[in-house]
Amino acid sequence: MKVSIIAVGTELLFGQTVNTNATYLSENLNHMGFDVMYHFVVGDNPQRLKEKLADAFSDTDIVLLTGGLGPTQDDLTKEMVAEYMGVEMYLDQRVVDDLRDFFRKRGGNMAENNFKQAYLPVGCTPLYNASGTAPGFALSRNGKTAICFPGPPRELKWLWEHGARQYLEQLTDKKMYYRIIRTIGIGESDLEMLLMPLIDGQSDPTIATYAKEGECTLRVASQRKDSDDARKACDEMMARIMELAGKYIYSTDDEDLNEVVVRMLKDKGVLISSAESCTGGGFASSITDIAGASSVLHSSYVTYSIDAKVKLGVPEDIISEYGVVSRETAVSMAEALKNVSGADLCISITGYAGPEADPGHDAGEAFIGYVYKNHKAAVRVLTNRNDRRWNRNYFILRMMRAVYMLLSDRADEIE
Amino acid sequence: MKVSIIAVGTELLFGQTVNTNATYLSENLNHMGFDVMYHFVVGDNPQRLKEKLADAFSDTDIVLLTGGLGPTQDDLTKEMVAEYMGVEMYLDQRVVDDLRDFFRKRGGNMAENNFKQAYLPVGCTPLYNASGTAPGFALSRNGKTAICFPGPPRELKWLWEHGARQYLEQLTDKKMYYRIIRTIGIGESDLEMLLMPLIDGQSDPTIATYAKEGECTLRVASQRKDSDDARKACDEMMARIMELAGKYIYSTDDEDLNEVVVRMLKDKGVLISSAESCTGGGFASSITDIAGASSVLHSSYVTYSIDAKVKLGVPEDIISEYGVVSRETAVSMAEALKNVSGADLCISITGYAGPEADPGHDAGEAFIGYVYKNHKAAVRVLTNRNDRRWNRNYFILRMMRAVYMLLSDRADEIE
């Protein structure tokens, strides 16, 4: 079944608020097997809302609306939906009681305009809101269904879990199952070429590729009458994808690479430490983004200057002979780090994030060094970009990838 | 002038990607004086894109499109726009050369489908993309203007700054001049109250407040026939704002706080270092995000475990007596850091980012310690949130704010 989402709120059109509600609803609707066809955003303007409501219903039978249910004059979503559906409004006594209760508990007087929130369209299924003051509702009439949610994401999520999802479940008979596969080390076009035998002539399951920063994501999705069938079809397709592109896949469950790496470090009981120059602490920060990182990272070093590298234990000779951005310095940083930190897996980076680089070098050049078990080496990374932020993020991803390969006993594939 | 934004991409309708591009473009369009009327999101489907393109152009003369410019089969935005505008496509030689160059530098072969990106609508103004492979373009015909951007936010921002904004500036005969003022240490409502004498009855320049994560931004904008007049009106208003709210303003030029801090460190010749626990290197990473940070940060430490703090030089007694998350440990970390790093300004943090916290503590509690000139102290931060990512970002902002205050000789205002 096809669904549109209309978000109502001038703050979205001003760029003050990101439309995360549409993302949340879309993800959940897709899980349930609904096809989300459109998102719309309109301001707090009754005429334009009315037009977009008609547009949305012309293509889809179900429209979810967010925002514009509050007590102020420009909150008009409910009224427009009732008008479109051709029903009157009624005063819902339970909402009145809930509102009185809410304000009494807070010890405040209820402003008169709050009663506006207690009016609902005749014939609707109210979605009483225990996480805020504005109720939502679901209303089906003549084969069309509208579900209205308040704008604050926390309240919207509460109403989704407490009534809206259940209301929608009654409306559908198809079940969707999908998996998100994360890859590294291959571009979108190459991945698509590699999987062409599977993508070509696809109907169900479908395979789609998405480029993300420095990596590529695959979605495998199946929609069947039976959820076990959908799952089975996806699993079979996943097995064929693994055969063709397995070496590039690091997660079949939409995990970020740092999540996967921290889990592997924990599982293997490996302690990690980093000595970072051009990434300036970004690698350690990415590891410690993950809850529970304290069991795998005890300390880390930002050795930004030559002096800091020497203090860590890199011989001055190495730096003067090979240069501060060199394979030899990177390896030596990892070795020195091993002595200082005592960690099992030591990783280092020295390079030029940009815009500046020393003579004979380009911004975007870096060496990643590592010491782990019997592996001790460094690899050169060259981005050919002079974009400091991009380079730093990409260097961190490449460090993470090197750690992933070391932990997977695939050191020979580090690049 | 009225604008619509159409984001193209099934990943948005699947809820995998948040439509931050629409937010970014909306904010910038509003700053320039354009009225954003609608956001639309459609999947990678030519028919539905065509329909929404027609819908958008029926209400607004300018439509910005994001996504669907890549090399794969489902990237169809360009083709649909050309069809709507009634123009053919041509092979742009510069894009072909850029693509060849890009792939040659990476030492890889270019997949054949990449050439798809080199086709552009006849008569368009190409927006050559130095931050990625897919070019954008602007195309005006019969009073209608379409501007197409690639989907990756970084590339979109690059093209906005390098061509798209300038193209839009030509379309409007009114000249908008605006300044973005960044503040810290004051909430949106308080700032609005403070500036009420200026905001009340405003016509031109206008003053608008926007709440951002942990801070508040002001926009002063004037729209006149003559750009010098607009500039002069803004400058006069700015002077009045400085009188009323100067102490909260850290940038009158839309700079991030880390940019301002690094510039101040450079100007004053102050060397900084950090010892980070719960932020895990995020503060050092934020400082080194700024080009030229090597002259102000030589080394930095992630002392995540108790052992790492002791190794830095924090007496074990302090930790056992006051606890690892305490004012005393934070100060001691900054003192130890001063000895180890020799930096002029030493800042430390110890706390709970969440979800876990030791008994008697809450996630979201941290102590920021500092040593600079004759200042040596720590402040407590309490977010009352159990959101690891949010807490870590907020802690880093508070550290940055403390450094800003120290460098501004306003240590007594650190909180």
Side-chain angles (χ1 to χ4, degrees):
Chain A
M1 290 178 91
K2 294 176 179 178
V3 184
S4 296
I5 298 171
I6 302 179
V8 185
T10 305
E11 70 280 11
L12 292 157
L13 298 177
F14 271 114
Q16 286 177 262
T17 309
V18 183
N19 193 6
T20 53
N21 284 338
T23 308
Y24 174 83
L25 292 174
S26 294
E27 190 179 2
N28 281 283
L29 287 163
N30 273 287
H31 279 311
M32 292 173 68
F34 289 97
D35 291 320
V36 180
M37 306 303 282
Y38 303 107
H39 297 172
F40 300 87
V41 178
V42 295
D44 299 306
N45 174 297
Q47 187 54 37
R48 288 197 284 274
L49 171 54
K50 216 162 126 181
E51 282 169 24
K52 290 306 151 208
L53 197 55
D55 279 5
F57 272 126
S58 74
D59 287 323
T60 58
D61 294 331
I62 302 172
V63 178
L64 271 52
L65 296 101
T66 68
L69 297 186
T72 67
Q73 283 186 350
D74 62 359
D75 290 313
L76 290 162
T77 304
K78 248 175 352 193
E79 290 75 5
M80 290 302 111
V81 169
E83 194 183 312
Y84 180 84
M85 292 287 204
V87 298
E88 298 293 312
M89 304 285 274
Y90 74 100
L91 185 68
D92 189 291
Q93 196 54 45
R94 176 163 161 193
V95 181
V96 172
D97 295 344
D98 284 354
L99 280 169
R100 286 227 171 86
D101 207 42
F102 178 87
F103 283 95
R104 199 188 52 237
K105 273 185 185 158
R106 300 211 156 186
N109 280 321
M110 184 167 78
E112 209 44 39
N113 61 359
N114 274 296
F115 279 116
K116 187 170 174 298
Q117 299 175 89
Y119 284 89
L120 292 174
V122 171
C124 78
T125 301
L127 301 171
Y128 296 111
N129 184 356
S131 71
T133 58
F137 65 88
L139 177 59
S140 297
R141 228 175 115 91
N142 306 326
K144 306 275 184 198
T145 296
I147 306 185
C148 292
F149 298 87
R154 197 176 46 86
E155 298 185 29
L156 175 132
K157 286 175 190 176
W158 199 90
L159 288 189
W160 173 263
E161 294 292 343
H162 297 84
R165 193 182 54 193
Q166 295 78 356
Y167 190 93
L168 283 165
E169 266 166 9
Q170 300 166 29
L171 301 178
T172 176
D173 55 353
K174 273 199 185 172
K175 302 293 171 204
M176 162 76 95
Y177 181 80
Y178 76 95
R179 295 285 287 270
I180 304 295
I181 299 173
R182 304 277 295 259
T183 71
I184 41 169
I186 185 165
E188 190 184 6
S189 336
D190 288 339
L191 186 59
E192 203 181 83
M193 294 293 249
L194 196 63
L195 299 177
M196 202 43 90
L198 304 180
I199 293 173
D200 236 16
Q202 62 179 307
S203 58
D204 184 298
T206 54
I207 303 173
T209 59
Y210 303 99
K212 286 207 173 185
E213 297 250 320
E215 59 167 86
C216 185
T217 291
L218 277 177
R219 188 194 76 229
V220 180
S222 174
Q223 195 168 26
R224 306 282 169 105
K225 282 216 170 124
D226 181 80
S227 57
D228 283 342
D229 284 353
R231 191 191 184 101
K232 208 177 147 199
C234 276
D235 285 348
E236 281 170 15
M237 183 57 86
M238 295 271 286
R240 298 177 66 189
I241 291 170
M242 286 304 277
E243 270 171 38
L244 292 175
K247 65 178 284 198
Y248 303 108
I249 294 167
Y250 68 82
S251 172
T252 52
D253 207 18
D254 199 20
E255 292 159 296
D256 288 332
L257 188 54
N258 56 345
E259 278 181 85
V260 174
V261 160
V262 168
R263 193 185 56 233
M264 289 173 88
L265 289 166
K266 276 187 193 167
D267 288 351
K268 290 173 180 276
V270 171
L271 203 60
I272 192 170
S273 186
S274 61
E276 303 177 59
S277 192
C278 53
T279 50
F283 176 84
S285 185
S286 182
I287 290 284
T288 57
D289 260 344
I290 308 304
S294 56
S295 65
V296 303
L297 187 145
H298 287 184
S299 65
S300 207
Y301 299 80
V302 181
T303 54
Y304 214 58
S305 65
I306 289 179
D307 183 53
K309 292 177 184 73
V310 171
K311 218 170 185 176
L312 182 74
V314 177
E316 285 183 65
D317 294 354
I318 299 257
I319 294 174
S320 57
E321 189 172 342
Y322 301 99
V324 65
V325 175
S326 65
R327 196 174 296 274
E328 291 76 8
T329 298
V331 172
S332 182
M333 283 168 75
E335 279 181 305
L337 177 63
K338 176 95 188 157
N339 292 332
V340 170
S341 71
D344 307 302
L345 196 166
C346 289
I347 186 146
S348 68
I349 186 162
T350 174
Y352 304 102
E356 315 273 289
D358 289 326
H361 294 273
D362 289 318
E365 182 187 7
F367 290 90
I368 295 170
Y370 50 88
V371 175
Y372 178 58
K373 292 182 175 170
N374 57 336
H375 304 290
K376 184 171 80 179
V379 286
R380 182 162 177 253
V381 177
L382 199 59
T383 67
N384 286 313
R385 294 196 194 213
N386 195 343
D387 178 332
R388 186 176 178 86
R389 188 170 291 260
W390 195 91
N391 283 338
R392 281 163 54 95
N393 287 337
Y394 187 72
F395 290 159
I396 293 165
L397 189 64
R398 288 291 287 264
M399 290 170 82
M400 210 57 81
R401 196 194 291 183
V403 173
Y404 173 80
M405 290 299 176
L406 286 169
L407 295 171
S408 308
D409 295 320
R410 289 163 66 185
D412 54 315
E413 291 176 43
I414 295 174
E415 52 172 21
Chain B
M1 290 177 93
K2 293 177 178 176
V3 184
S4 296
I5 299 170
I6 302 179
V8 184
T10 305
E11 70 279 14
L12 293 157
L13 298 178
F14 267 98
Q16 285 177 259
T17 309
V18 184
N19 193 6
T20 55
N21 285 337
T23 308
Y24 174 84
L25 291 174
S26 295
E27 188 180 4
N28 280 284
L29 288 163
N30 273 287
H31 286 334
M32 291 173 71
F34 289 97
D35 291 319
V36 180
M37 305 303 283
Y38 302 108
H39 297 172
F40 299 87
V41 177
V42 295
D44 300 307
N45 174 295
Q47 186 54 35
R48 290 196 284 274
L49 171 54
K50 217 163 125 181
E51 282 169 24
K52 289 306 151 210
L53 197 55
D55 279 4
F57 272 127
S58 73
D59 286 324
T60 59
D61 294 331
I62 303 172
V63 178
L64 271 51
L65 296 102
T66 68
L69 298 186
T72 66
Q73 285 185 350
D74 61 0
D75 290 314
L76 290 161
T77 304
K78 253 179 342 197
E79 291 74 5
M80 291 302 111
V81 169
E83 194 183 312
Y84 179 84
M85 293 287 205
V87 299
E88 300 292 312
M89 304 285 275
Y90 75 99
L91 185 69
D92 190 289
Q93 195 53 44
R94 176 163 162 195
V95 181
V96 172
D97 295 344
D98 285 354
L99 281 169
R100 285 228 170 86
D101 208 43
F102 179 86
F103 282 94
R104 201 188 49 238
K105 274 188 184 159
R106 300 214 154 184
N109 279 321
M110 183 166 81
E112 208 45 38
N113 58 0
N114 274 296
F115 278 117
K116 186 170 174 301
Q117 299 175 89
Y119 284 90
L120 291 175
V122 172
C124 78
T125 301
L127 301 172
Y128 296 110
N129 184 357
S131 72
T133 57
F137 65 86
L139 177 61
S140 296
R141 230 175 113 91
N142 306 324
K144 304 276 183 199
T145 296
I147 306 185
C148 292
F149 298 87
R154 191 182 43 86
E155 298 185 28
L156 175 132
K157 287 176 189 175
W158 199 91
L159 288 188
W160 172 262
E161 293 291 344
H162 297 85
R165 194 183 54 194
Q166 295 78 356
Y167 190 93
L168 283 166
E169 269 167 7
Q170 297 168 34
L171 297 180
T172 168
D173 56 348
K174 282 201 182 165
K175 297 298 168 198
M176 167 72 93
Y177 180 81
Y178 70 91
R179 296 285 287 271
I180 304 295
I181 298 174
R182 304 277 294 259
T183 71
I184 40 169
I186 185 165
E188 191 183 5
S189 0
D190 288 340
L191 186 59
E192 211 176 79
M193 293 292 255
L194 197 62
L195 299 177
M196 203 41 92
L198 305 180
I199 293 173
D200 233 16
Q202 61 177 310
S203 57
D204 183 297
T206 54
I207 302 173
T209 58
Y210 303 97
K212 287 208 172 187
E213 294 248 321
E215 60 167 87
C216 184
T217 291
L218 276 178
R219 185 194 65 164
V220 180
S222 174
Q223 198 167 24
R224 306 279 170 106
K225 285 220 166 117
D226 181 81
S227 57
D228 282 343
D229 284 354
R231 189 190 185 102
K232 208 178 146 198
C234 276
D235 285 348
E236 282 169 15
M237 184 56 87
M238 295 271 286
R240 299 177 65 190
I241 291 170
M242 285 304 277
E243 272 171 36
L244 292 176
K247 66 177 284 198
Y248 302 108
I249 294 169
Y250 69 82
S251 172
T252 53
D253 207 17
D254 200 18
E255 293 160 296
D256 288 331
L257 188 54
N258 58 343
E259 279 182 84
V260 174
V261 160
V262 168
R263 193 183 58 233
M264 289 172 88
L265 289 167
K266 276 187 194 167
D267 288 350
K268 290 173 181 277
V270 171
L271 204 59
I272 192 170
S273 186
S274 61
E276 302 176 59
S277 191
C278 53
T279 50
F283 176 83
S285 184
S286 182
I287 290 284
T288 57
D289 260 344
I290 308 304
S294 55
S295 65
V296 303
L297 187 144
H298 287 185
S299 65
S300 207
Y301 300 80
V302 181
T303 54
Y304 214 59
S305 64
I306 289 179
D307 182 54
K309 293 176 184 73
V310 171
K311 217 171 185 176
L312 182 74
V314 176
E316 285 183 63
D317 295 354
I318 298 255
I319 294 174
S320 57
E321 190 172 341
Y322 301 99
V324 67
V325 175
S326 65
R327 197 175 295 275
E328 291 76 8
T329 298
V331 172
S332 182
M333 283 169 75
E335 279 182 305
L337 178 62
K338 175 94 188 159
N339 292 332
V340 171
S341 71
D344 307 303
L345 196 165
C346 290
I347 186 147
S348 68
I349 186 162
T350 174
Y352 304 102
E356 313 274 287
D358 288 327
H361 294 272
D362 289 317
E365 182 187 9
F367 290 90
I368 295 171
Y370 50 87
V371 175
Y372 178 57
K373 292 183 176 170
N374 58 337
H375 304 291
K376 183 170 82 180
V379 285
R380 182 162 177 254
V381 177
L382 200 58
T383 66
N384 287 313
R385 293 199 194 207
N386 194 345
D387 179 332
R388 186 176 179 87
R389 186 169 293 260
W390 195 92
N391 283 338
R392 279 164 54 99
N393 287 337
Y394 187 72
F395 290 159
I396 292 165
L397 188 65
R398 289 290 286 265
M399 290 171 82
M400 208 57 82
R401 195 193 290 183
V403 173
Y404 174 80
M405 289 298 176
L406 286 169
L407 295 171
S408 309
D409 295 320
R410 290 163 65 185
D412 54 315
E413 292 175 42
I414 296 173
E415 52 173 20

